[in-house]
Amino acid sequence: MNTHPSVLAVTRAFPPVVGGMEKLSAEFVAALGRKTHVHLLVNRHGKKALPWFLPWAALHLARLAPRADVIHLGDPLLTFLLPFLPRIQKSVTVTVHGLDVLYPSPLYQALLRRFFPRVSLALCISRFVEQQVRERFPTVKTIVLTPGMDGSRAVPGATRADLARALGKTLTAGPLLLMVARL
């Protein structure tokens, strides 16, 4: 018997589209799937499909929500779908990336002020993002869930020559700078 809650993951950014939010969403869903049952409601066609994805997701949310204990939204834009949830109590979590609460559109900000406070928990990718959420939405519970790195791809003892081969480039002598960040 599975004692873990089932999750309905709703995201507008998912592979095969390539990008940071897409990768984070896919890895988050995969990690959840190793612990519990996950239902997916995802956009696999990128930003161009967003005008079709949102109404499609609203229609399917009502059908799929009763099957899940928790609804997880991939970003705050999707809080606009909350009015389409059936009138049943569900925990709703959302991943907050940063710009999604700072985006300077007056209409977007007005909608966010209306719907974002309905979430049960905001999963913030950094302390800075958590600070922005707390300033704008002080009643929303937050935690910092910093995206990690896939350690299985690390190559202990790799040399400068190994890096040059992996990059397919000739590396000049001198220091190398490694940057680990969201570019």
Side-chain angles (χ1 to χ4, degrees):
M1 181 170 132
N2 187 358
T3 59
H4 297 287
S6 62
V7 178
L8 172 58
V10 184
T11 180
R12 64 185 177 98
F14 205 77
V17 177
V18 177
M21 284 178 64
E22 291 81 2
K23 183 169 180 59
L24 182 67
S25 290
E27 291 183 3
F28 183 78
V29 165
L32 278 176
R34 289 190 290 275
K35 299 287 184 185
T36 193
H37 183 71
V38 180
H39 305 277
L40 290 178
L41 193 54
V42 300
N43 173 19
R44 298 176 190 271
H45 304 287
K47 291 178 185 166
K48 68 181 183 289
L50 195 56
W52 293 274
F53 174 72
L54 292 174
W56 178 84
L59 288 171
H60 291 285
L61 192 58
R63 179 178 59 83
L64 295 173
R67 299 181 192 175
D69 300 306
V70 176
I71 311 294
H72 180 74
L73 306 173
D75 67 272
L77 171 71
L78 297 174
T79 62
F80 303 173
L81 297 173
L82 292 179
F84 298 97
L85 272 177
R87 297 254 178 231
I88 49 178
Q89 286 296 97
K90 294 288 178 178
S91 293
V92 177
T93 62
V94 62
T95 299
V96 185
H97 305 267
L99 181 59
D100 39 20
V101 291
L102 301 173
Y103 189 67
S105 160
L107 175 60
Y108 177 81
Q109 288 299 321
L111 290 168
L112 207 57
R113 280 191 300 277
R114 178 171 176 139
F115 299 118
F116 192 84
R118 295 184 186 184
V119 303
S120 309
L121 180 66
L123 309 176
C124 305
I125 68 163
S126 70
R127 297 224 178 275
F128 173 79
V129 171
E130 182 183 45
Q131 176 187 347
Q132 298 305 309
V133 171
R134 286 183 173 176
E135 286 175 10
R136 287 163 177 75
F137 307 99
T139 61
V140 174
K141 290 182 187 175
T142 62
I143 62 167
V144 175
L145 190 60
T146 308
M149 142 180 187
D150 182 358
S152 69
R153 298 184 70 193
V155 183
T159 65
R160 184 184 210 70
D162 295 329
L163 179 60
R165 273 191 299 282
L167 296 173
K169 302 213 180 266
T170 302
L171 300 177
T172 60
L176 290 173
L177 176 64
L178 170 66
M179 181 176 173
V180 180
R182 182 175 182 201
L183 300 177

